[in-house]
Amino acid sequence: RITLGPLTQNGNPSQLWPAENITLWRFEDIEVYNLWEPHQSLGWFPDPLVPLNEPFTVEAGLRQRLLVCFFAASEMPAGTYRGELTITTAGAGEKRLPIEVTVWDFLLPVEQHFTLTIPIWGGQMENMYPGTDTARRRATYLDMLYDHRISPFPLEDDEIEHAIVRGVRKFNLGCFDKHNVESEKANSIGKTAALWQQRGWDKMAQTFVLLGDEAPRDCYPNIQKQGKRMGELAPHVERCFTVSPEMIQDISWIHDQMNGAADTVILGAANCFPTDSLSRQVQAAGFQLWWYYVASHYYIPHSSLEARQVFWRHWKYQVPSQLHWGMSYWGDSNIAGRDGRKWPQIPWDSKQSRSGDGYLVYPAPGGTAFYPSQRLEMLRDGIEDYEYFYRLQEVTDRLEQTPDASTARIRENRQRLAIDDKLVKSYNEYDTHPEKYRAYRKLLAEAIVASEKMLSNGPNQKNEK
């Protein structure tokens, strides 16, 4: 049994970390197979997270990994909180482990300054557990995604305002098929865009459409017409289209086809591609740039660092949006189960479900809820790393407009914002030691606190040369 005693701030028993803002999770291990060689087992890896709310059994000689999540609400006083985690075993007594959590004296914004947009279509849970798709379960699922700073799609009209309150600032209005022009769909999306203007949502968030996905050369006339039609119907809606690395080699031809028909190239990015040079080609051609990931970064058994660190590359290259292709594509074998049983009663089949590629959540037994994965937790941490950079940039810009502000502070902040090449040199070259990123994030936090203190003290500061 795992219990967590009260965490007190700097030894003050009257200032406790609220118990409802601490959650304990237990990792399930699943057998993972090579994404490209589905019959090659890579071993057992932890990924699904199951709520830890009752005693559990661990077989002798095996490990059980746990995750403790602390949510620091906006009204939480800054400081260091300490307590103990107690492990009670049958026959072996207790083991107490010290816990220490630091709360910094600044707020991360609710608004998403980085957009990670992922489709939630497919009805996978309903297929797995028919009759369980309730409005309450969907609302809870969406809130879990907002907690992780995800921008999901598609959303219903009556879900938009709550998503904006939860921080979503970029919404997908629709996706086109590359094999057809789909004029009727364009008209429908145009009406949705008009509704956004009528309700004033366009003043609070941006919208985009996805033109035909990874179109081959002979489909470009279709996506060109899609983009031009959307430009006529809703000129304020961003028009995006995905391009595979193989196709982007002909960026000049793509520019000729899509100039005036699209705003943004969403480039398939990965360590195995020359993403640096391809990204520069896209930007030089006059397009805005997103990256998207299929079969890279987020599948098991990639390291947790890989899923989190990629957002540092997004900051370094100023690419503020990302598309991922699936949140819950679990595969037919997991949906069907075996002998009337389904996961976690039987092992998770990662062969058909592509070893995590295309899903970041797992089904709760009976279809009652969605469970997060370890990778989803790392994505949220990575997006919040990005928000640290964004916050430091904001306060540094304000310092530069403040009379007599510390030039030394501004200079150091700018150095931090650039990210040292020793940590992230290029898309394909970066440090792989997690402790170095934790140390850098601490430096970012300290810089934010120091800068905000200078701003609150007013202009009468010593100008450090």
Side-chain angles (χ1 to χ4, degrees):
R1 180 186 294 273
I2 304 295
T3 55
L4 184 61
L7 269 68
T8 61
Q9 180 207 37
N10 301 326
N12 180 3
S14 64
Q15 186 58 61
L16 302 177
W17 198 297
E20 64 270 18
N21 289 342
I22 303 174
T23 53
L24 282 77
W25 300 86
R26 177 173 56 85
F27 282 104
E28 289 278 347
D29 285 358
I30 60 176
E31 188 173 15
V32 177
Y33 293 82
N34 188 320
L35 187 64
W36 310 111
E37 299 290 342
H39 300 291
Q40 178 189 0
S41 174
L42 300 176
W44 291 77
F45 293 83
D47 193 54
L49 289 165
V50 178
L52 182 58
N53 48 27
E54 60 185 23
F56 58 95
T57 300
V58 182
E59 293 183 30
L62 297 183
R63 294 180 180 180
Q64 176 59 65
R65 297 170 176 86
L66 307 176
L67 178 68
V68 186
C69 290
F70 299 89
F71 173 68
S74 59
E75 65 275 8
M76 191 94 177
T80 301
Y81 292 75
R82 295 181 178 88
E84 285 187 330
L85 185 77
T86 302
I87 305 171
T88 306
T89 59
E94 291 184 347
K95 175 72 174 179
R96 297 179 181 272
L97 303 175
I99 295 287
E100 180 178 298
V101 185
T102 298
V103 177
W104 296 102
D105 195 15
F106 64 91
L107 294 177
L108 287 184
V110 172
E111 297 84 4
Q112 297 176 1
H113 296 108
F114 183 90
T115 298
L116 172 53
T117 187
I118 307 179
I120 55 172
W121 53 44
Q124 298 285 288
M125 184 77 92
E126 179 65 14
N127 292 337
M128 196 169 201
Y129 296 103
T132 62
D133 188 10
T134 64
R136 180 179 179 182
R137 192 192 71 189
R138 178 177 170 88
T140 302
Y141 178 34
L142 290 176
D143 272 325
M144 183 182 80
L145 299 183
Y146 302 146
D147 287 343
H148 290 80
R149 296 182 176 265
I150 305 296
S151 177
F153 69 90
L155 296 179
E156 303 296 333
D157 290 345
D158 60 1
E159 295 171 330
I160 299 298
E161 291 185 4
H162 179 66
I164 292 174
V165 169
R166 292 303 314 274
V168 178
R169 291 297 179 267
K170 192 168 280 191
F171 291 80
N172 181 16
L173 298 188
C175 304
F176 287 87
D177 179 6
K178 63 191 171 190
H179 299 292
N180 300 284
V181 176
E182 296 196 293
S183 298
E184 287 303 315
K185 179 174 286 187
N187 293 336
S188 176
I189 295 174
K191 292 177 181 177
T192 301
L195 176 66
W196 270 69
Q197 290 182 311
Q198 293 169 14
R199 298 189 177 179
W201 297 338
D202 60 322
K203 303 295 191 299
M204 297 178 282
Q206 298 175 305
T207 53
F208 68 94
V209 293
L210 290 173
L211 308 179
D213 183 44
E214 288 196 50
R217 181 179 286 257
D218 60 353
C219 287
Y220 267 79
N222 292 335
I223 66 171
Q224 180 193 69
K225 292 175 182 177
Q226 294 165 3
K228 289 186 174 180
R229 184 58 178 154
M230 285 308 310
E232 297 168 356
L233 293 168
H236 55 285
V237 174
E238 183 179 359
R239 299 160 298 173
C240 309
F241 66 107
T242 58
V243 183
S244 65
E246 295 82 6
M247 189 67 185
I248 206 72
Q249 304 289 348
D250 205 358
I251 186 63
S252 60
W253 181 87
I254 290 174
H255 178 265
D256 291 342
Q257 299 299 307
M258 299 304 294
N259 186 26
D263 309 292
T264 302
V265 165
I266 307 180
L267 171 65
N271 292 342
C272 58
F273 300 134
T275 300
D276 284 32
S277 60
L278 294 177
S279 296
R280 286 193 292 271
Q281 290 177 43
V282 169
Q283 293 168 325
F287 291 110
Q288 299 176 54
L289 175 66
W290 295 16
W291 287 331
Y292 81 97
Y293 306 128
V294 176
S296 65
H297 302 310
Y298 300 159
Y299 63 90
I300 314 165
H302 256 56
S303 71
S304 299
L305 172 70
E306 184 72 15
R308 179 175 181 173
Q309 190 273 347
V310 73
F311 295 96
W312 293 59
R313 283 175 264 177
H314 273 278
W315 177 263
K316 179 112 177 177
Y317 289 91
Q318 292 296 287
V319 180
S321 299
Q322 178 194 132
L323 173 67
H324 186 54
W325 76 273
M327 182 60 71
S328 58
Y329 189 79
W330 296 324
D332 294 340
S333 61
N334 289 309
I335 290 174
R338 188 174 67 247
D339 300 327
R341 299 186 301 164
K342 297 183 179 183
W343 181 87
Q345 292 178 309
I346 58 174
W348 184 265
D349 182 355
S350 70
K351 288 183 180 178
Q352 286 197 8
S353 59
R354 292 171 55 89
S355 300
D357 183 39
Y359 62 94
L360 296 163
V361 296
Y362 291 83
T368 56
F370 292 83
Y371 290 158
S373 65
Q374 174 181 228
R375 293 165 295 135
L376 185 63
E377 297 298 311
M378 294 299 102
L379 296 189
R380 189 261 322 282
D381 288 347
I383 295 172
E384 291 189 347
D385 292 343
Y386 187 99
E387 289 289 353
Y388 270 51
F389 284 108
Y390 192 94
R391 183 64 183 148
L392 181 57
Q393 178 173 268
E394 279 189 325
V395 296
T396 304
D397 290 344
R398 288 171 59 196
L399 277 177
E400 289 184 331
Q401 301 302 316
T402 302
D404 300 323
S406 167
T407 55
R409 176 77 269 160
I410 293 170
R411 183 169 57 252
E412 183 176 324
N413 288 359
R414 292 299 179 196
Q415 290 174 346
R416 296 276 177 248
L417 289 167
I419 307 183
D420 193 321
D421 283 352
K422 293 180 181 178
L423 194 64
V424 182
K425 184 177 181 181
S426 69
Y427 193 95
N428 305 78
E429 301 171 280
Y430 49 88
D431 199 288
T432 58
H433 295 87
E435 64 274 10
K436 293 186 180 180
Y437 292 90
R438 286 195 290 267
Y440 203 102
R441 175 164 160 150
K442 182 180 179 182
L443 292 174
L444 294 175
E446 291 171 343
I448 294 170
V449 171
S451 300
E452 291 193 346
K453 185 176 180 180
M454 287 182 178
L455 289 168
S456 65
N457 287 340
N460 297 321
Q461 306 169 65
K462 182 180 178 182
N463 187 8
E464 301 175 39
K465 300 296 184 183

